[in-house]
Amino acid sequence: MATSLVLSTSVSLTYYGHCAFLWQTPGEVRVLIDPYRNRHDRYRFTRRFPDVPCDLALITHAHFDHDATLELAETVSVLRMPGDFHHRDLHVRGILDQHSGRFSRGMANVMFRLETAG
């Protein structure tokens, strides 16, 4: 079940589990971060990722629990790399970093900073 939090009168944040969040800007840009999936050989999540309408998906790194892009509509733009992206009232900056943890240490990871509504 998704949990929503209104950060101001015009920006909303919805949590879908694990590391998946949906931001909606005042200009109604919907940004989904890190949708999850189960691997073919490992059943980690008890439910499939829900159908979440969005305009943009941000994928921080290529692990099954962060990159369910095949579940998204084909009209969704996907960002996986560092750099700057502007769309209507949204500015996204991707910053290259390294994943931590004992199995993936040193793997590329992108941190995303979202700016909207001041």
Side-chain angles (χ1 to χ4, degrees), residues 13-26:
L13 175 66
T14 304
Y15 177 62
Y16 286 97
H18 193 51
C19 296
F21 292 88
L22 178 74
W23 291 85
Q24 185 162 333
T25 72

Side-chain angles (χ1 to χ4, degrees), residues 20 32-38 45 48-50 54 57-73 76 78 80:
L32 180 64
I33 302 173
D34 282 349
Y36 60 80
R37 63 181 168 84
N38 283 310
F45 299 104
R48 291 187 62 180
F49 194 78
C54 62
L58 306 178
I59 307 299
T60 58
H61 62 285
H63 277 162
F64 71 97
D65 55 341
H66 297 267
D67 71 352
T69 57
L70 294 178
E71 302 294 324
L72 304 175
V76 174
V78 178
R80 300 174 175 268

Side-chain angles (χ1 to χ4, degrees), residues 27-116:
E28 299 185 3
V29 178
R30 296 164 302 178
V31 183
L32 180 64
I33 302 173
D34 282 349
Y36 60 80
R37 63 181 168 84
N38 283 310
R39 288 177 24 172
H40 70 282
D41 61 341
R42 183 183 305 162
Y43 191 74
R44 180 173 180 176
F45 299 104
T46 58
R47 62 184 172 89
R48 291 187 62 180
F49 194 78
D51 182 21
V52 178
C54 62
D55 305 298
L56 176 65
L58 306 178
I59 307 299
T60 58
H61 62 285
H63 277 162
F64 71 97
D65 55 341
H66 297 267
D67 71 352
T69 57
L70 294 178
E71 302 294 324
L72 304 175
E74 59 186 43
T75 58
V76 174
S77 296
V78 178
L79 297 180
R80 300 174 175 268
M81 304 297 290
D84 288 293
F85 177 81
H86 298 270
H87 181 62
R88 295 198 313 239
D89 66 336
L90 174 70
H91 174 233
V92 177
R93 172 163 288 164
I95 303 161
L96 185 61
D97 193 23
Q98 290 187 352
H99 193 284
S100 63
R102 65 179 186 205
F103 298 116
S104 301
R105 188 160 302 180
M107 173 184 179
N109 188 73
V110 179
M111 299 181 297
F112 291 102
R113 183 181 76 191
L114 284 68
E115 294 181 40
T116 189

